[in-house]
């Protein structure tokens, strides 16, 4: 039995170890850095469950892990003590953990509507088509490739610089790639008007991964929009607190929820995000008190003095919070460096705008933290219920159910 697993997420590695132990040949395809989305979260955050729920007995035995199963580890503890060692233990089986970009999965020959007479569609193997990153010649490896060029010729080396597609065939495929696609910023996680055209534009930053990669640009901006109030948005907001301390920095938080961050599961993170909101409001109230005192002093000046003294400037909120609204349109003007977002507020939510009002605001950057969704594009050529193609949700309890299903197709090795 030959199994292809797409993605080295926790459930992917657990399945790989499980079926390898059963005698199957397992190949894991990993596109990015091992660790998946967990690497982008603050490492001191607690995992969402205890050791006993986020590990398997087989995994603990493989690593001889001695932990209190009722304790809940931090992300760092989980990665360092369990997940990464388990990845290393599996990858020691040479060639079974492949750093590659899976492009698509399809049956070798069968179309969606096609059947094999008197047989299951499992009679035809799955084909995983993948690509490897092209060769990048740097100062460190230039000498090596220069020597290769002398031996093999420039044409061969130039060929290595191109992205090539390869394939491998499997009896079964388990798509454990997680949720690599960030949701758009429009209503119901759909595209706002104009958003699709502007995707890839530097003023639109999607998800924690892009936020981490663009952190220097984010902190250099003066006006930011943060869309969403889930876990990713809470992480970004807490990390932006130091940026708030610059009096010329302003953030607008936009969420369709009537109360921001109420659905964040991690209590510590939720409290931290709400504290930033409260802290920002306290700063504004203090600045407003100072302003009111200055205004009063200015009004009490003699007329001939007052005309020579500029009126004190009213403070501007460092953080504007719009709850119960949707971003319905995104635009970029040729002569403006900013990105423009249009907001609407339905009657059935908390009222922030006037009746039927649409407002448009401009920002240096829009940080879109509206969550993620499964990437189903890999298997477009397969049936939705394709036998032998598994899409685990991430719950380790699924492993035994998957095993039972697999054993109806194949016997143990």
């Amino acid at each position: 039995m030959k199994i292809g697993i797409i993605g080295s997420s926790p459930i992917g590695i657990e399945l790989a170890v499980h079926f390898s132990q059963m005698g199957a040949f397992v190949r894991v395809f990993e596109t990015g850095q091992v660790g998946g989305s967990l690497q982008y979260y603050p490492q001191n955050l607690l995992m969402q469950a205890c050791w006993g729920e986020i590990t398997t007995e087989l995994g603990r035995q493989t690593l001889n892990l001695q932990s209190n199963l009722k304790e809940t580890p931090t992300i760092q503890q989980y990665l360092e003590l369990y997940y990464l060692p388990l990845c290393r233990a599996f990858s020691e089986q040479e060639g079974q953990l492949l750093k590659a970009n899976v492009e698509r999965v399809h049956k070798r020959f069968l179309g969606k509507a096609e059947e094999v007479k008197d047989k299951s569609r499992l009679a035809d193997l799955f084909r995983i088509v993948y690509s490897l990153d092209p060769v990048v010649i740097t100062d460190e490896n230039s000498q090596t490739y220069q020597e290769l060029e002398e031996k093999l010729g420039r044409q061969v080396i130039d060929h290595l610089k191109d992205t090539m597609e390869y394939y491998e065939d499997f009896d079964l495929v388990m798509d454990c790639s997680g949720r690599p696609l960030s949701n758009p910023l429009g209503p119901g996680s759909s595209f706002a008007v104009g958003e699709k055209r502007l995707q890839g534009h530097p003023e639109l930053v999607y998800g924690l991964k892009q936020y981490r990669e663009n952190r220097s640009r984010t902190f250099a901006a003066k006006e930011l929009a943060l869309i969403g109030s889930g876990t990713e948005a809470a992480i970004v907001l807490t990390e932006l607190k130091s940026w708030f301390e610059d009096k010329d920095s302003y953030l607008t938080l936009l969420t369709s929820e009537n109360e921001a961050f109420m659905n964040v599961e991690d209590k510590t993170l939720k409290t931290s995000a709400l504290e930033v909101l409260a802290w920002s409001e306290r700063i504004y109230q203090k600045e407003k008190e100072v302003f009111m005192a200055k205004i009063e002093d200015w009004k009490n000046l003699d007329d001939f003095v007052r005309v020579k003294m500029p009126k004190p400037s009213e403070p501007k909120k460092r953080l504007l919070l719009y709850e119960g609204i949707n971003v319905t349109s995104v635009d970029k003007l040729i002569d403006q460096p900013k990105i423009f977002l249009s907001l609407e507020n339905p009657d059935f939510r908390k009222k922030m705008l006037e009746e039927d009002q649409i407002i448009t605001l401009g920002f240096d950057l829009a940080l879109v933290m509206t969550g993620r969704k499964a990437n189903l594009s890999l298997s477009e050529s397969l049936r939705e219920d394709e036998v032998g193609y598994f899409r685990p949700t991430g719950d380790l309890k699924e492993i035994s159910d998957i095993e039972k299903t697999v054993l109806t197709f194949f016997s143990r090795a």
Side-chain angles (χ1 to χ4, degrees), residues 280-297:
S280 174
E281 186 61 27
R282 288 195 301 271
I283 293 293
Y284 173 69
Q285 292 302 327
K286 286 180 181 178
E287 291 177 348
K288 194 172 180 180
E289 288 173 10
V290 172
F291 164 74
M292 294 303 293
K294 287 182 178 179
I295 277 288
E296 196 60 34
D297 291 342

Side-chain angles (χ1 to χ4, degrees), residues 208-271:
L208 277 178
K209 183 176 185 291
Q210 279 195 20
Y211 163 71
R212 299 273 184 243
E213 294 169 350
N214 289 274
R215 195 164 178 175
S216 59
R217 289 184 63 241
T218 300
F219 278 76
K222 292 299 180 184
E223 293 183 292
L224 290 176
L226 176 58
I227 300 101
S229 60
T231 297
E232 291 189 347
I235 290 169
V236 172
L237 181 64
T238 55
E239 292 184 3
L240 286 176
K241 186 176 180 183
S242 59
W243 175 82
F244 269 114
E245 293 173 355
D246 186 339
K247 291 186 178 180
D248 293 326
S249 300
Y250 302 96
L251 176 75
T252 301
L253 176 61
L254 310 168
T255 177
S256 58
E257 296 181 342
N258 280 328
E259 292 186 76
F261 305 114
M262 286 298 106
N263 293 320
V264 174
E265 293 183 2
D266 188 282
K267 292 181 180 179
T268 302
L269 179 60
K270 178 179 179 179
T271 300

Side-chain angles (χ1 to χ4, degrees), residues 44 53 57 78-79 109 163 187 254 268 281 301 335 369:
N44 61 349
E53 295 176 0
E57 184 177 354
Y78 170 75
L79 289 176
F109 306 110
T163 299
L254 310 168
T268 302
E281 186 61 27
L301 293 172
D335 60 342
M369 302 293 153

Side-chain angles (χ1 to χ4, degrees), residues 2 15 33 44 47 77 106 122 141 143 145 197 245 251 271 274 276 284 303 319-320 328 337 339 341 357 361 393:
K2 189 176 180 183
L15 283 164
Q33 185 176 335
N44 61 349
M47 295 291 289
Q77 289 170 332
H106 58 79
L122 277 176
N141 64 18
Q143 182 62 38
Y145 282 103
R197 175 178 60 87
E245 293 173 355
L251 176 75
T271 300
L274 293 175
V276 173
Y284 173 69
D303 290 345
L319 191 155
L320 279 175
T328 55
I339 194 92
L341 307 181
Q357 182 185 15
L361 305 174
T393 63

Side-chain angles (χ1 to χ4, degrees), residues 329-393:
S329 178
V330 185
D331 202 2
K332 186 89 175 68
L333 303 180
I334 296 176
D335 60 342
Q336 291 284 341
K338 293 183 179 294
I339 194 92
F340 292 89
L341 307 181
S342 295
L343 318 179
E344 294 185 60
N345 184 201
D347 292 335
F348 52 82
R349 295 210 194 112
K350 180 179 181 179
K351 291 309 294 177
M352 298 292 294
L353 307 179
E354 295 178 10
E355 193 71 26
D356 297 327
Q357 182 185 15
I358 300 175
I359 64 171
T360 301
L361 305 174
F363 303 96
D364 298 321
L365 281 178
L367 307 178
V368 185
M369 302 293 153
T370 50
R372 292 171 291 149
K373 61 184 176 182
N375 184 355
L376 302 179
S377 62
L378 294 178
S379 56
E380 287 177 337
S381 298
L382 300 176
R383 293 179 177 180
E384 190 173 336
D385 58 347
E386 187 74 61
V387 61
Y389 191 88
F390 299 87
R391 297 184 179 91
T393 63

